[in-house]
Amino acid sequence: MPDDAPPPLRIAAAGDMHCQPSRAEEARVAFGALAGDADLLLLAGDLTTHGQPEQARVLADAVRDLDIPIYSVWGNHDWHCDQIDAIQPILEDAGVTILERDTAIACVSDVEIGIVGLKGFVGGFPGSHLPDFGEPLLRTVYRETTKDVEALDEGLKAIAHCPFRIVLMHYAPSTSTLIGEPETIWTMLGNDRIAAPIAQHEPDMVLHGHAHAGTFAGAIGEVPVYNVSVPVLGQDFWVFELSGLERATAPLH
């Protein structure tokens, strides 16, 4: 790196924290350790164990004093008790911006980082796709992913001008980061329909969680895909460095 080059941007990422009151001190220590070591925090869903307000407060208390932008998506665990409307204000009050089929631009050291966030959904991969056929409930699942694909396409168009572009989701968009999970459950871990706008628009990287026994690094074409589920990382967070005005995603511990 030239002597006059700006320092790389440090992006901390993790998913599947599954916060709950019995682990409040653990969460406080983990997030507190990021102070001074990250410029941006991205959370890939499953913030809570069952989506209950007392669990959301654990995360809120842990991140409240972090002086960096924080963006997150929902995970399936966060929806379990169907209390999203109760837990979202708790997290937002602590500085967490929830993205659901939405975009955000974080300005870090005068550099714009565009983020498209969505939960994603089940749906499958070659050989196991859920069809747009049959019972209305099954076709509703298919339509949910259609909405994701359309939102991601529009979101990536909206942040096309940003020097760095990141897709943040919970479910996996590629089998490359599911390796290690039984293939019989891949349909429930994500879908590859969401890969089309990623391949077309080529963001700098895609982050997801959900697959606890999956693989850390994969790809969709030339786009790096990282499974940042805490069980996969084997640690609390992974810090990526982004430098220069070209794709450069060097993962660092």
Side-chain angles (χ1 to χ4, degrees):
M1 182 183 298
D3 292 341
D4 59 349
L9 302 176
R10 301 162 301 171
I11 300 177
D16 305 272
M17 291 73 63
H18 299 294
C19 288
Q20 55 183 304
S22 64
R23 299 175 58 193
E25 178 63 14
E26 181 181 338
R28 186 191 65 78
V29 171
F31 284 95
L34 286 177
D37 288 335
D39 303 304
L40 175 67
L41 175 58
L42 301 179
L43 302 176
D46 277 5
L47 313 175
T48 64
T49 301
H50 297 110
Q52 297 169 326
E54 59 268 27
Q55 297 168 355
R57 290 189 191 98
V58 171
L59 177 61
D61 291 343
V63 304
R64 196 179 306 278
D65 294 331
L66 286 178
D67 190 24
I68 57 175
I70 307 170
Y71 296 91
S72 180
V73 296
W74 298 123
N76 56 310
H77 279 244
D78 302 316
W79 271 98
H80 180 69
C81 287
D82 199 14
Q83 297 187 51
I84 289 294
D85 290 344
I87 67 176
Q88 184 161 345
I90 295 170
L91 298 174
E92 289 178 340
D93 182 66
V96 180
T97 298
I98 304 292
L99 300 176
E100 176 49 35
R101 298 175 182 156
D102 203 358
T103 62
I105 297 176
C107 190
V108 179
S109 300
D110 297 323
V111 176
E112 290 186 334
I113 302 174
I115 306 161
V116 183
L118 65 159
K119 174 177 64 66
F121 205 27
V122 301
F125 301 90
S128 66
H129 285 123
L130 295 178
D132 186 20
F133 182 83
E135 294 90 333
L137 284 176
L138 188 58
R139 300 183 71 185
T140 296
V141 171
Y142 190 91
R143 285 196 298 272
E144 280 298 301
T145 296
T146 299
K147 294 176 184 177
D148 284 337
V149 172
E150 293 171 348
L152 180 54
D153 180 60
E154 290 301 315
L156 286 170
K157 289 176 183 176
I159 63 169
H161 65 283
C162 295
F164 298 113
R165 296 167 298 135
I166 299 171
V167 174
L168 177 65
M169 46 192 309
H170 183 63
Y171 285 84
S174 166
T175 59
S176 61
T177 48
L178 295 184
I179 297 170
E181 294 277 10
E183 290 189 31
T184 52
I185 68 168
W186 283 9
T187 299
M188 305 306 296
L189 297 178
N191 73 83
D192 67 346
R193 293 178 61 208
I194 204 73
I198 293 169
Q200 178 182 354
H201 296 286
E202 295 189 316
D204 291 282
M205 63 177 173
V206 178
L207 305 176
H208 75 86
H210 192 43
H212 293 194
T215 298
F216 172 62
I220 294 172
E222 298 297 317
V223 180
V225 178
Y226 297 104
N227 178 355
V228 293
S229 172
V230 168
V232 169
L233 298 181
Q235 57 192 51
D236 294 321
F237 301 96
W238 199 272
V239 179
F240 299 85
E241 287 193 348
L242 297 180
S243 58
L245 296 180
E246 298 178 355
R247 178 183 297 140
T249 56
L252 300 178
H253 284 287

